[in-house]
Structures are given as structure tokens and as C-alpha cells.
Amino acid sequence: MEKYTYKQDINMTPELMARINVLLSHYPEDKKKSALLPVLHEVQDAHDNWLSYELQEKVAEILNIQPVEVFEVVTFYTMFNQKPIGKYMFEFCRTSCCMIRGAEDMMDYTCQKLGIKEGETTVDGMFTVVGVECLGACGYAPMMQLGDYYKEHLTKEKIDEIITDCRAGKVILHDK
């Protein structure tokens, strides 16, 4: 884990803590750990969509669990980011069905278009491109996830349109 490489301002605002307390209210007092996934989502959303080592420790403190219990979850799930990412993260499905239908070519095209390699973020901080495991939308291959939404049946033309729309601020990332 890149413990000291990336620094992040930790801002546990009263509004964020109120949302966390609502989540915790759904679980018995002695089972706070059960709220770990939704709490991590809330905290990540409130901190530029990534979780530093120190922020993960803060979540452990809030849930009264050991930091390693948080680290295990954050390092297992690709939905949690351990370093700063672009405003728009293109998560290309890279399992069998999508790969057969050209996902690798679409990811390579996107990286070339943005001037980055897989896993990198553009210099302006706008875009990150990553390959992820199955997103469960095999019938729409090749596809990627952008925020809370799937972009399906991808072509170079669709990629160009998505990038243009992102740059113009027309893309909605979350449904909340």
C-alpha cells in the first residue's frame, strides 16, 4: 500500500458525520463494522473519490475497528481508490465477453486519445483510465463504467463523444 506517497486533506464535516451516523443507525451498536462498505462510499465521495491511508484509519476509528480491517476491504474492491484519480474515471470491463468484443481496443484507443497509459490520470486531472474485472453487463460489450453509469456497445465514435461531453461538463457521474 502506498502509505506515504499521496497526501489528502481529511475533512469529516458535520454533514458527512450526520450521513455516517444515519448509516450506523441501521446496524446494532455492537455491529458497526457491518456499515463499513456504505461508510467507505460516503467518505470517498466526500474526499475527491479516493481514500488515503490516513482517511482509512479515520474510518476505522469511527467504526471502532482495527485499521487493517478497513485496509483489507479497500485493497480488495476496485470501487475504492487508494490514490487521486481524475474527475472522470473510465473503468473498462476486461473480462472474456468484453475482451472478445473489443474492450481492449477501446481502452487502448481511449488512452491514446487522452495521452496516458492504463492506470494513469491526465495532467489536467480530468481523466483516469483503468481496466476492471467483470461489470456484469456482458450483453452490452464492449462497455465501461463512468461514475454510476454504464456506457455500452462502445465504438471509437462513442468514446470521442463521451470525452467531448466530459470536457464540456455534460456528463452526470452520480444519481444522488
Side-chain angles (χ1 to χ4, degrees):
M1 172 177 251
E2 299 175 27
K3 180 176 176 180
Y4 299 107
T5 306
Y6 303 103
K7 293 296 177 194
Q8 182 178 40
D9 290 332
I10 297 175
N11 190 12
M12 303 302 285
T13 65
E15 295 82 13
L16 176 57
M17 288 308 300
R19 290 194 307 274
I20 290 171
N21 287 329
V22 167
L23 290 170
L24 292 175
S25 74
H26 296 235
Y27 301 92
E29 183 63 33
D30 63 334
K31 303 288 186 212
K32 284 184 179 181
K33 182 179 177 181
S34 299
L36 181 56
L37 289 173
V39 167
L40 284 170
H41 281 294
E42 285 293 334
V43 171
Q44 180 170 268
D45 287 349
H47 288 86
D48 296 324
N49 206 26
W50 72 286
L51 299 161
S52 66
Y53 179 84
E54 292 79 13
L55 192 53
Q56 293 173 56
E57 286 182 324
K58 184 68 174 170
V59 169
E61 180 184 314
I62 290 167
L63 297 178
N64 198 27
I65 59 177
Q66 294 299 310
V68 70
E69 295 176 275
V70 178
F71 306 153
E72 290 170 339
V73 170
V74 170
T75 58
F76 179 79
Y77 290 107
T78 60
M79 63 192 158
F80 298 118
N81 303 302
Q82 299 170 64
K83 64 182 182 179
I85 62 163
K87 177 178 181 181
Y88 301 101
M89 184 163 67
F90 296 170
E91 298 178 87
F92 284 89
C93 180
R94 63 177 341 148
T95 44
S96 302
C97 195
C98 282
M99 293 305 268
I100 290 169
R101 304 271 323 261
E104 187 171 16
D105 292 338
M106 292 298 101
M107 188 164 52
D108 289 346
Y109 176 78
T110 304
C111 286
Q112 176 193 22
K113 184 92 175 163
L114 297 172
I116 59 175
K117 295 178 183 170
E118 179 186 346
E120 293 181 342
T121 299
T122 56
V123 178
D124 62 5
M126 286 280 293
F127 300 98
T128 301
V129 177
V130 295
V132 298
E133 292 306 311
C134 186
L135 290 168
C138 301
Y140 307 109
M143 57 84 61
M144 71 172 171
Q145 185 169 342
L146 178 57
D148 292 340
Y149 301 99
Y150 284 171
K151 302 297 181 182
E152 304 159 342
H153 303 292
L154 293 172
T155 62
K156 290 179 179 180
E157 295 76 22
K158 284 185 179 181
I159 296 289
D160 290 343
E161 182 180 340
I162 292 166
I163 291 171
T164 299
D165 287 348
C166 287
R167 285 194 170 123
K170 295 180 181 177
V171 173
I172 296 170
L173 293 174
H174 303 290
D175 61 1
K176 39 179 162 170

